[in-house]
Amino acid sequence: MARSSAQPPESAPVAVVGAGYAGLSAALALHDRGVPALVLEGADRVGGRVHSGRTEHGVVIDHGGQWVGPTQHRLLAWAERFGCETFPTWETGRAVELWHDGAVREFTGSGPDDGPGVAEYHDAVARIDALAAGIDLDAPASCPRAAEWDAETVHSFFRRTVACSEARRRLDLAVQGVWSAEPREISVLHLLFYVASAGGFDQLMDTAGAAQDSRFAAGAQAPALAAAERLGDAVLLGTRVDAVEQRGDGVVVRTSRGPVRAERVVVATPPPATAGIRFEPALPTARQRWVQRSAMGDVAKVHVVYPRPFWRDAGLSGIASLYGADATGVVFDNSPRGAEFGVLAAFVYGDRLRAWSAMSARDRRAEVLGTLARLFGEQARNPLEYLEKIWPTDEWVRGGYAANPAPGSWIAHGAEGWRAPCGRVHWAGSETASAWHGYIDGAISSGERAAREVLAAL
Ligand SMILES: Cc1cc2nc3c(=O)[nH]c(=O)nc-3n(C[C@H](O)[C@H](O)[C@H](O)COP(=O)(O)OP(=O)(O)OC[C@H]3O[C@@H](n4cnc5c(N)ncnc54)[C@H](O)[C@@H]3O)c2cc1C
């Protein structure tokens, strides 16, 4: 079992910083090859941005990452290895769109076949997919048009290339929903890389057959808990890493519970957390700048629990997209597999989050319930439970879903600063992944890549 009050041992062949999916994956890959790795986790739990819990009524919910898609082979392999069951995301029935002018539109399937801006949206997605096909997933800054693409924000790109304002509203919400950032905050190059990394724009957006395909019956933290169980005493909780000092013959990792000597270190923390660790000697400038200029996205996830999924009686799927002034951007039916309760999950992103999170707790709740009532009826105003997780206030990761490099950063610092090892220090984390960058699957593959680097160097 992971330990929370243990002193770290004086030394370990490999130290891993962070027990999110990336750190656990690096440690597990080393463990599987007979190399002990000590995992140092600051929080009192494993899983990082994946945090499952039970509500007062016993309903399993995921405050952070939750979905797995059919091409997320690394996460599916963990699910199989540890016997963690998944089930399809509920999308039976009509989805609802609420527009800025108050118009309500409904559709079935993965998206509307017609309506304002739909054809132009699909044209734009096809153009994005065509451009993304040219991205080298291991060196995004190396493609011929990288400098031009990294110099332009997605906001400017959409306004320059998409004439239809409704299509732009659809694209803006897609960016908020996938990157939990505003289109002005990311570059075209980062957008194209992310799209390529997932295998296409619709892979990021869709439910069945794509990123939102399935959920974990016991919560998405279950595979991480099982991996930590497998690693046993090698996972130390409540052990914050403050400094990583490289010496000629090894590394000293300074933690809140004392120092650990190691041959190699894998740092698997989100970029803002990495920036809070003191490195000696100082990291190369490119790595420092990359970490400093990669800001976490802004997202909150609100779960609202009802006695039953009453919206299904009216033929509604519980899925909604909001193009107006509501704080909520997107809603999903997050009810448990057997629908013993009805659960709606509302996502609040970007600028909407900045305004909403400044409200009082009471006003935040009223705002979200008011939106759900307009979408699904007055019953939505009277839930059994209301729970919110505002990720920018999380002490350890400070945002989500992932960090997005500021426009221009890929070109200026990406080649050296993205994930190249710095001496005996190796980098893991969803933000260092080539495939499914920003997702749990990417976190796992990044840990496996870092473990390969370490094994080659030991
Ligand atoms: C609201 C939300 C919804 C999401 N939805 C999905 C989804 O449905 N599907 C999906 O695939 N992905 C989703 N994601 C993204 C996914 O959760 C992340 O990409 C992934 O979990 C990141 O894993 P990681 O190991 O790279 O980093 P993290 O999970 O952030 O792990 C880093 C760990 O480092 C620890 N740490 C930080 N600083 C220190 C320190 N100084 N010393 C020691 N430990 C430290 C942290 O406590 C943490 O445990 C979502 C994320 C959020 C926030």
Side-chain angles (χ1 to χ4, degrees):
M1 271 305 279
R3 292 177 297 165
S4 50
S5 58
Q7 286 296 117
E10 277 177 20
S11 67
V14 183
V16 176
V17 186
Y21 268 92
L24 291 170
S25 157
L28 193 64
L30 292 165
H31 176 271
D32 286 347
R33 283 156 194 81
V35 177
L38 184 68
V39 184
L40 306 163
E41 167 58 50
D44 59 4
R45 62 174 183 85
V46 303
R49 277 170 266 175
V50 180
H51 186 190
S52 312
R54 275 187 188 273
T55 72
E56 281 177 14
H57 286 79
V59 185
V60 173
I61 56 166
D62 276 301
H63 297 288
Q66 66 173 39
W67 282 296
V68 57
T71 66
Q72 297 179 348
H73 302 297
R74 299 311 309 139
L75 178 53
L76 289 171
W78 274 41
E80 191 177 334
R81 176 173 179 177
F82 297 118
C84 302
E85 278 183 40
T86 62
F87 64 99
T89 303
W90 181 269
E91 62 167 351
T92 306
R94 302 185 316 279
V96 183
E97 293 183 344
L98 198 54
W99 280 77
H100 59 292
D101 56 5
V104 178
R105 299 191 174 86
E106 296 184 351
F107 63 89
T108 52
S110 59
D113 292 330
D114 51 32
V118 171
E120 295 83 352
Y121 168 87
H122 286 302
D123 288 349
V125 166
R127 284 197 301 274
I128 289 169
D129 279 339
L131 295 177
I135 298 281
D136 178 345
L137 291 179
D138 290 321
S142 70
C143 68
R145 295 182 64 187
E148 169 197 341
W149 287 335
D150 208 28
E152 180 166 23
T153 68
V154 170
H155 173 94
S156 146
F157 177 71
F158 286 164
R159 270 133 201 88
R160 189 169 60 73
T161 60
V162 182
C164 168
S165 64
E166 283 92 354
R168 289 202 305 264
R169 282 183 189 273
R170 292 183 186 281
L171 289 162
D172 287 352
L173 181 61
V175 169
Q176 290 167 1
V178 170
W179 286 264
S180 51
E182 295 297 329
R184 64 172 186 275
E185 294 174 314
I186 58 175
S187 75
V188 177
L189 179 62
H190 189 61
L191 174 116
L192 296 177
F193 165 58
Y194 223 88
V195 167
S197 165
F201 200 90
D202 288 343
Q203 271 294 314
L204 293 165
M205 293 297 294
D206 288 355
T207 301
Q212 284 68 238
D213 184 87
S214 295
R215 290 164 51 209
F216 286 87
Q221 202 183 345
L225 289 166
E229 184 83 33
R230 188 66 55 92
L231 293 165
D233 281 356
V235 181
L236 295 187
L237 303 178
T239 308
R240 185 191 64 240
V241 169
D242 297 320
V244 174
E245 299 168 1
Q246 297 197 55
R247 309 272 166 85
D249 57 344
V251 190
V252 177
V253 181
R254 305 250 172 231
T255 83
S256 51
R257 294 185 190 276
V260 180
R261 292 187 60 80
E263 300 265 314
R264 297 265 155 184
V265 176
V266 175
V267 177
T269 50
T274 307
I277 297 173
R278 181 174 59 77
F279 289 89
E280 200 182 296
L283 296 175
T285 307
R287 179 65 189 161
Q288 284 187 42
R289 288 288 179 268
W290 178 263
V291 163
Q292 289 161 354
R293 292 179 187 181
S294 294
M296 298 305 283
D298 288 311
V299 64
K301 200 168 167 186
V302 180
H303 281 95
V304 191
V305 182
Y306 300 94
R308 41 190 305 282
F310 61 87
W311 51 92
R312 295 184 187 178
D313 302 343
L316 297 174
S317 65
I319 296 178
S321 307
L322 295 106
Y323 297 99
D326 300 76
T328 301
V330 168
V331 181
F332 272 90
D333 181 332
N334 252 8
S335 306
R337 177 164 44 181
E340 301 87 354
F341 290 87
V343 181
L344 292 171
F347 289 82
V348 185
Y349 323 103
D351 287 344
R352 300 179 195 232
L353 176 72
R354 290 182 268 273
W356 176 80
S357 62
M359 295 177 182
S360 68
R362 192 186 155 137
D363 288 351
R364 287 200 302 272
R365 176 186 161 113
E367 157 66 27
V368 171
L369 296 185
T371 298
L372 297 180
R374 279 196 290 142
L375 289 166
F376 305 118
E378 282 302 306
Q379 260 180 289
R381 283 194 204 275
N382 298 304
L384 294 173
E385 296 184 69
Y386 170 97
L387 302 98
E388 54 184 42
K389 169 77 182 175
I390 302 175
W391 280 91
T393 64
D394 182 90
E395 178 187 356
W396 294 102
V397 297
R398 303 222 163 265
Y401 326 120
N404 299 304
S409 301
W410 270 113
I411 286 299
H413 315 295
E416 285 302 311
W418 180 28
R419 64 185 186 191
C422 301
R424 291 171 180 272
V425 178
H426 302 261
W427 307 103
S430 189
E431 285 79 7
T432 70
S434 291
W436 284 107
H437 183 101
Y439 286 73
I440 303 168
D441 189 82
I444 295 174
S445 66
S446 77
E448 292 168 345
R449 185 222 355 105
R452 285 195 299 275
E453 291 172 8
V454 168
L455 287 168
L458 278 178

